[in-house]
Structure formats: structure tokens, C-alpha cells
Amino acid sequence: MSDETKPGEAAELDAAVNPEAQTEATLSVEELIVRIEAEKADMNGQILRLLADLDNTRKRADRQVSEARVYAIERFAADLLSVSDNLSRALDALPDGERENLTDAGKNLLGGIEMTAKELNTALSRHGVVPVAADPGAPFDPNVHQAVAQIPSEHPSGTIAQLFQPGWRIGERTLRAAMVAVSLGPAN
């Protein structure tokens, strides 16, 4: 056997190994141009789809990062709501008429509790945690209010009659729904 191959044998070997080489050799120049243009258009379409997918991925990641920034303290804020509730209950436990009868130490203690409650609410607001509007007479919204009772009141039917526990929102999410009594309308 000889390592030398004849010119015809090389073409046959190329055709056997790569069948496209044989078809490209038999195509005319115009057909080859049309074929290459079609491949080019297909690749351009693939590139455009990949760029669109990349852009969508970037937008999704940006949205997730901004949501993570807003809602990162959600659990911590939810834990602090009970502290806010307890401070409010402590302040509500002392009737307004009794405040003047307090000693100086009692007045200082009451002032400290009021300042602590105010500072806690200010800190929550600074981080996007805001109270839900639940004033008596306001419309009932099941997205932010939790009805625990229906009672007759001077307010129109379907509005809030009484607030039992304040609700809170963080960003667009309800952190805790306000517990309210819904009005049945005036009693007969």
C-alpha cells in the first residue's frame, strides 16, 4: 500500500467523509449565495431572540432586586408590630382624666412610652412600613381589612364601624390586615 493518493481518490474521500462538500461543489454560485443568505437570516433571528431573552432576564433580575430591597425587612417588621401594639395598649390603658393625677415620675414614664411608640412608628415608616387606613366610616377593603364582626352603627352599611387592631402595609403588600367591625348601618 502506498501513502500516495491519486487526485480523484481525494475527492471521493472528501465526498464520503463530508457529503455537504459534494453538494456545495455541484451548486451554482447563485444557489450558494441564496443558501448562505438563508443561514444568515436564521442566525440573525437567533441572535435577536437571544438578545430579547437577555433583556427580559436583565429586567426580571432588576425587578427582583428592587422587590428584595423593599420587602427585605418584611419578617422583622412583622415581629415589631406586636411591640407597637403593646405600646399602644399601654398608652390606652390610662384614661385621659387620670393623666393629670400622675406624679412627676409617672408623667415621665408616660412621656417615655409615648416617645418610644412614636419613634418606633417613625422608624417603621422610614422603611416603608405604613399603617392601613381603617378609620370608622371608611370603606371596607377586604385586601387590607379583616372583618371580625358586623355591628349596627351610625356609619353606612359596608363601611368600617370600629377598629380593633391596626393594619400595616409594606410597599404594595399587606403586612397585617386591620381587624375591624363592619357596619350594618343604623339600628332600627
Side-chain angles (χ1 to χ4, degrees), residues 64-159:
Q64 288 173 344
V65 166
S66 72
E67 285 180 359
R69 226 177 263 132
V70 170
Y71 301 116
I73 65 160
E74 186 172 12
R75 288 186 184 183
F76 180 68
D79 289 343
L80 286 180
L81 294 182
S82 63
V83 174
S84 175
D85 291 341
N86 288 334
L87 287 171
S88 294
R89 284 187 201 104
L91 292 171
D92 292 342
L94 183 64
D96 290 335
E98 296 291 322
R99 291 177 189 237
E100 286 82 32
N101 298 335
L102 292 175
T103 63
D104 286 339
K107 288 179 183 178
N108 289 339
L109 177 63
L110 181 63
I113 294 172
E114 287 173 339
M115 286 190 294
T116 303
K118 183 178 178 183
E119 184 62 30
L120 177 60
N121 290 338
T122 301
L124 289 170
S125 295
R126 191 172 36 245
H127 292 283
V129 181
V130 295
V132 169
D135 298 324
F140 175 77
D141 181 0
N143 295 316
V144 294
H145 302 128
Q146 177 183 358
V148 294
Q150 286 187 314
I151 59 173
S153 74
E154 72 269 6
H155 303 290
S157 179
T159 61

Side-chain angles (χ1 to χ4, degrees), residues 18-29 32 35-36 39:
N18 188 1
E20 289 182 8
Q22 182 182 13
T23 56
E24 288 179 9
T26 59
L27 293 176
S28 69
V29 173
L32 190 58
R35 187 176 184 189
I36 291 172
E39 287 179 21

Side-chain angles (χ1 to χ4, degrees), residues 1-12:
M1 294 185 106
S2 163
D3 286 341
E4 295 178 22
T5 56
K6 297 179 185 163
E9 290 176 356
E12 288 175 12

